[in-house]
Amino acid sequence: MKFTSDVIKGYGDIDVPYTLISQGEETKGIAILLPGLGYTVQAPLLHYSTGIYLNKGYDVLHINYQYTSADYEGFSIEEVDDALKHDVKEVIDQVLQEKNYSRIHLVAKSFGTIALSNELTRESFQDAELIWLTPLIKEDEVFQAMLDSGQEGICIMGDADRHYEEARFNEIKSNHRLDLHLIKGVNHSLEHDFQVLDSISTHKEIMSIIEAFIEA
């Protein structure tokens, strides 16, 4: 297994780091992980997802944007969103020009679902498979992308998540390409507040859902 870390010059000429974990020639595909604003690829949901994908023979791409750093001080919310979309596109372009993959999975957490929504029109992603973790469904762009998506996918969200909206979540159910999972009592990190063992059990349940999706 090979780890390659690099940077691209992103929005505003700011460095955007990424890491590609490669299986070599025998890879089954690639999983592209789009983390949250403060929820990095080292956080449980994405760390464990990385392990599952590697165990299943996939390459894994971590796009490690850092929009809470001093480099982005003074950016408006709209500018940060623009930077996210631009930077994710540039990193993906860089990595996919090096190698063709027969299977592509996009795994996005929270803020990363804005980038995922933006990437769905990419021609090479029309057969991609999607994992929406705590999507920002109150954002019209994300909500509409989930409604319209023709790709197979799963969505996992908690009913105690501040970004959860029952009416919109139920409307997304009309897209039969998406398999929606609503977990009772969990927050935006898909955890039970301060209940460690319950949170671990829930994370195990979530990883089982993700593993079954990969194997389908």
Side-chain angles (χ1 to χ4, degrees), residues 150-166:
Q151 293 92 339
E152 293 287 341
I154 57 173
C155 166
I156 305 172
M157 200 167 193
D159 66 359
D161 184 342
R162 66 188 182 278
H163 295 283
Y164 172 68
E165 188 174 284
E166 184 178 9

Side-chain angles (χ1 to χ4, degrees), residues 195-215:
Q195 303 298 317
V196 175
L197 295 182
D198 287 343
S199 296
I200 291 171
S201 295
T202 296
H203 276 49
K204 183 177 180 181
E205 175 189 346
I206 292 166
M207 290 306 118
S208 295
I209 292 169
I210 289 173
E211 187 169 38
F213 177 68
I214 296 169
E215 292 175 344

